[in-house]
Amino acid sequence: MTRTRNLLGLAAFAAFASPSFAQFNQQWVSYTNETATHLPGLATSISYNNTETDFAWGDLDNDGDDDLVVVRKEDFTSTGKRTNLLLMNEGGILVDRTTLYASAADVPGDQGFNTPTNDRDAVFADFNQDGWLDVVTATTLSDGNPKHIGHPRIYMNLGNDGSGNWLGLRFEDARFPQFLHFGSGSPQNPRFCSVAAGDVTGDGYPDIYFGDYDSSGAGGAQQGSNEDLNDRLVINDGNGFFTDQSQSRMSTSMLKSAFGNSVVINDFNGDGLNDVVKDTSLNAPQYVAVSYNNPSNVGFFNIFHDFHFNAPYHTSEGDLNNDGRLDLIISDDASDRMRINTGTDAFGRATWSSAQQFSFLTGGDDGFASNNLVADLDGDGWNDALIADVDVDIGGYSRRLHIYHNRTTTPGDMTPTLREERQSSSSSGWIGVVGMKTADLKGTHDVAVFDLDGDGDNDMVVSQQFDTKVWINGSVSTPCGFTKYGVGASAANYMDLTGTGSGSVGTTASLTTTGAPGSSVFQVISVSKASLSLFGGVVLIDFTNQLLPMGIGSASAGTNVWNLPIPASSGLVGFEVNCQTAAIDSGQPGGFAMSNGVELILCP
């Protein structure tokens, strides 16, 4: 049975008779291609065919603006080398200053960024704590090359001269040791695919973790048993010089990788100490895992926890539900996933939710992916997610970048909603964010997200197969439409409540409950949310702020449709409505079954 009620207690509008609509054209944030203005003359010389790019960004010259480093190599698993780039932010314009500021070296004949290398990743950190960010790159597949070409490269920030002029970066090979094979002790060039920096010893100086690979992949040769270096943890002496202390601080399992595509140093269990997350893939071992810092012996790692399997191919951290804990997004050869950090167990490990997928209005995940990033694009205080499509190992440029809008509104929600917004079901409309279409997303290596033009919001630099574009953040619209929340809040919250319709004023919203245990359901609508353990389940709406008295609707074959006409008043745009249903179920401990909640923010 379909029951129609008048939203907000105002006069009812025409009865709902047309089919329900997906919530297309939710204009949450918009971007404009301003490459010509902010990257003049460089669009096709940064990324181009057969060249892999990876970004790192931060304020290198301490002028208050973030600058951009681009590390490059021949694409996919290959030995081909490329030069790197230093793009300085000069009044919102990215200018190539590689030769001027990044060509110095302590190795005779080396030209810093202008020396071709096989760099796959980069990270910024102030390694000698002089107040200036330094740069480290992860170098791969350089067997037989000299150490300064085949090992990670560190570029120390020279700071200012006596007149306040920035002196740039200098490659200083002596700061890294020669890496040796654990068993034979023979010197080897590593095959590092990833790098992360962070203080693991508690002395205030950033240390470095490198993720290694030895799998053959699409183009590289399998490493021999006495050539594979595995991951490495190098410890900072306080002056920006590093020693390899991997084996004394971490176990063999912690350091073992097949294709160590990404690593993260951060505090995942909330004990104030930095842990190490890594994603290893392609062949065994194949998982995302955390190595936990030992609070009783800081800087030494005593617990290894592999918790995510499938076919992971890159991971990044960020708080997705605003509960103060670090969550993870994970690129996958199948459907990309996210894991929500739900707390800490008795062993001191983070506890993780099930592997949750991202949401789509139409279509879905298009397969292989790699670099990903957690960032707040619309400035609403909720982190969004970006997942680039070009695999670092397997060839192909047929997929596209996915940008997921975080529609979660309840802090601590363990099933956050991150959805790929789009204008319509047609591929000709905007996808992800207003202003970007399929061609603007296709064949993406990496995305840098920072405030380029100094107006306080996050812009994007997107490197693709044939060029690099700058997208400037424009107007931000109030998010509107339907968002589920509190899914699976308890065992009794098993009914599914879904909202459909445009969500616009002057239309009718349709709320459908499935899985009802009897012939009727209770329908509740409120202006605010709650999370109240009651009647054996979790009540997700605020009873003290109901818009209408609780109603009763009929259910047929477990389904109830609840139609809510929305008054045609522009003053209601942005108004928040929260709905939940319940039903009598004698099989539940409290005698009731409940649904998840649905939030509707009224659209124009």
Side-chain angles (χ1 to χ4, degrees):
M1 176 178 178
T2 298
R3 180 181 180 90
T4 301
R5 300 184 64 184
N6 178 3
L7 181 62
L8 307 179
L10 302 178
F13 284 78
F16 183 82
S18 59
S20 59
F21 299 95
Q23 304 101 45
F24 290 111
N25 204 28
Q26 304 299 305
Q27 300 187 17
W28 64 292
V29 65
S30 66
Y31 280 85
T32 304
N33 184 347
E34 297 188 15
T35 306
T37 300
H38 296 276
L39 194 65
L42 293 174
T44 58
S45 60
I46 296 172
S47 58
Y48 45 85
N49 199 26
N50 300 322
T51 296
E52 176 187 320
T53 52
D54 194 278
F55 290 146
W57 56 95
D59 186 4
L60 291 171
D61 57 356
N62 282 354
D63 67 349
D65 298 319
D66 282 347
D67 310 298
L68 184 66
V69 163
V70 188
V71 295
R72 305 186 296 182
K73 62 180 292 297
E74 184 181 33
D75 50 2
F76 313 122
T77 300
S78 62
T79 59
K81 299 176 176 62
R82 301 284 190 268
T83 59
N84 297 330
L85 293 171
L86 172 63
L87 304 179
M88 300 302 295
N89 186 343
E90 300 179 4
I93 299 174
L94 291 173
V95 181
D96 184 358
R97 299 298 188 192
T98 306
T99 299
L100 179 62
Y101 290 128
S103 59
D106 67 354
V107 176
D110 192 281
Q111 300 179 61
F113 276 22
N114 283 329
T115 297
T117 52
N118 203 1
D119 287 331
R120 177 151 263 171
D121 195 11
V123 67
F124 287 8
D126 182 3
F127 292 108
N128 56 1
Q129 294 294 282
D130 63 353
W132 299 85
L133 288 173
D134 311 302
V135 181
V136 165
T137 67
T139 307
T140 190
L141 284 172
S142 300
D143 299 353
N145 291 147
K147 171 181 175 287
H148 73 278
I149 298 295
H151 270 52
R153 289 168 65 95
I154 185 166
Y155 297 85
M156 299 302 293
N157 198 319
L158 302 177
N160 282 344
D161 64 15
S163 301
N165 301 304
W166 188 52
L167 298 174
L169 305 171
R170 181 174 62 206
F171 167 49
E172 299 186 2
D173 179 61
R175 292 179 177 272
F176 276 131
Q178 167 69 58
F179 287 111
L180 307 175
H181 185 267
F182 287 147
S184 67
S186 63
Q188 299 289 336
N189 281 334
R191 294 183 175 185
F192 291 150
C193 190
S194 51
V195 57
D199 176 20
V200 301
T201 62
D203 64 358
Y205 291 90
D207 308 298
I208 302 174
Y209 190 93
F210 293 101
D212 173 72
Y213 68 90
D214 61 343
S215 299
S216 58
Q222 190 83 23
Q223 280 187 295
S225 59
N226 41 344
E227 296 174 346
D228 177 21
L229 292 182
N230 280 320
D231 298 354
R232 295 295 167 122
L233 174 66
V234 295
I235 301 300
N236 191 337
D237 71 350
N239 296 299
F241 287 83
F242 296 85
T243 55
D244 182 4
Q245 300 184 27
S246 308
Q247 285 186 295
S248 65
R249 294 177 180 268
M250 305 186 88
S251 68
T252 300
S253 296
M254 294 174 182
L255 297 169
K256 175 69 174 176
S257 284
F259 203 111
N261 55 67
S262 53
V263 292
V264 177
I265 295 178
N266 217 319
D267 179 11
F268 287 91
N269 58 358
D271 65 356
L273 302 175
N274 279 327
D275 312 302
V276 176
V277 163
K278 75 170 178 182
D279 184 336
T280 169
S281 54
L282 193 62
N283 299 308
Q286 184 166 298
Y287 47 62
V288 178
V290 188
S291 297
Y292 287 99
N293 208 328
N294 185 357
S296 299
N297 192 12
V298 176
F300 295 82
F301 295 77
N302 63 333
I303 297 176
F304 177 73
H305 182 204
D306 53 343
F307 62 91
H308 179 92
F309 300 94
N310 299 325
Y313 233 80
H314 198 278
T315 188
S316 295
E317 87 279 27
D319 186 357
L320 297 177
N321 62 353
N322 282 1
D323 64 354
R325 292 188 287 264
L326 288 173
D327 311 305
L328 293 172
I329 61 172
I330 303 166
S331 303
D332 196 279
D333 287 350
S335 294
D336 301 327
R337 315 293 175 113
M338 53 184 167
R339 290 272 191 169
I340 306 305
N341 187 337
T342 66
T344 307
D345 68 13
F347 300 101
R349 307 175 303 183
T351 53
W352 301 96
S353 72
S354 60
Q356 303 176 36
Q357 296 186 28
F358 296 91
S359 299
F360 299 87
L361 290 172
T362 188
D365 196 305
D366 52 1
F368 289 175
S370 187
N371 287 348
N372 55 36
L373 178 66
V374 176
D376 182 6
L377 295 181
D378 60 345
D380 67 348
W382 293 84
N383 279 318
D384 311 300
L386 303 93
I387 301 182
D389 59 285
V390 178
D391 193 295
V392 298
D393 178 39
I394 305 298
Y397 290 97
S398 61
R399 301 171 300 275
R400 63 174 174 81
L401 168 70
H402 290 275
I403 301 174
Y404 298 102
H405 172 207
N406 194 336
R407 298 178 61 90
T408 314
T409 56
T410 303
D413 189 339
M414 294 304 165
T415 56
T417 300
L418 278 83
R419 186 173 80 183
E420 183 181 66
E421 310 286 10
R422 57 191 300 153
Q423 185 173 359
S424 67
S425 59
S426 170
S427 60
S428 63
W430 63 262
I431 301 176
V433 298
V434 177
M436 299 184 78
K437 298 186 177 182
T438 300
D440 303 313
L441 304 166
K442 194 172 181 180
T444 297
H445 286 284
D446 203 5
V447 184
V449 177
F450 61 95
D451 182 9
L452 174 59
D453 59 0
D455 65 351
D457 52 30
N458 275 325
D459 308 303
M460 291 190 286
V461 183
V462 181
S463 66
Q464 297 173 276
Q465 179 183 9
F466 294 112
D467 58 13
T468 296
K469 297 184 180 73
V470 172
W471 293 87
I472 296 299
N473 197 324
S475 61
V476 176
S477 302
T478 302
C480 64
F482 299 93
T483 303
K484 285 186 177 183
Y485 65 95
V487 176
S490 78
N493 290 76
Y494 65 79
M495 294 192 299
D496 180 69
L497 180 63
T498 301
T500 53
S502 69
S504 298
V505 294
T507 66
T508 298
S510 183
L511 292 146
T512 301
T513 301
T514 57
S519 61
S520 63
V521 296
F522 305 105
Q523 302 162 328
V524 189
I525 181 170
S526 173
V527 299
S528 55
K529 300 179 182 65
S531 182
L532 177 65
S533 296
L534 193 66
F535 305 126
V538 178
V539 176
L540 297 164
I541 54 90
D542 184 357
F543 272 118
T544 66
N545 284 297
Q546 292 185 64
L547 284 171
L548 295 167
M550 182 174 65
I552 299 176
S554 298
S556 175
T559 298
N560 166 265
V561 180
W562 175 15
N563 290 329
L564 299 170
I566 307 172
S569 171
S570 60
L572 294 176
V573 172
F575 191 87
E576 178 182 337
V577 177
N578 297 279
C579 309
Q580 188 178 16
T581 55
I584 295 174
D585 183 355
S586 59
Q588 294 298 317
F592 289 92
M594 299 182 190
S595 73
N596 55 277
V598 167
E599 174 197 71
L600 168 59
I601 297 178
L602 301 187
C603 303

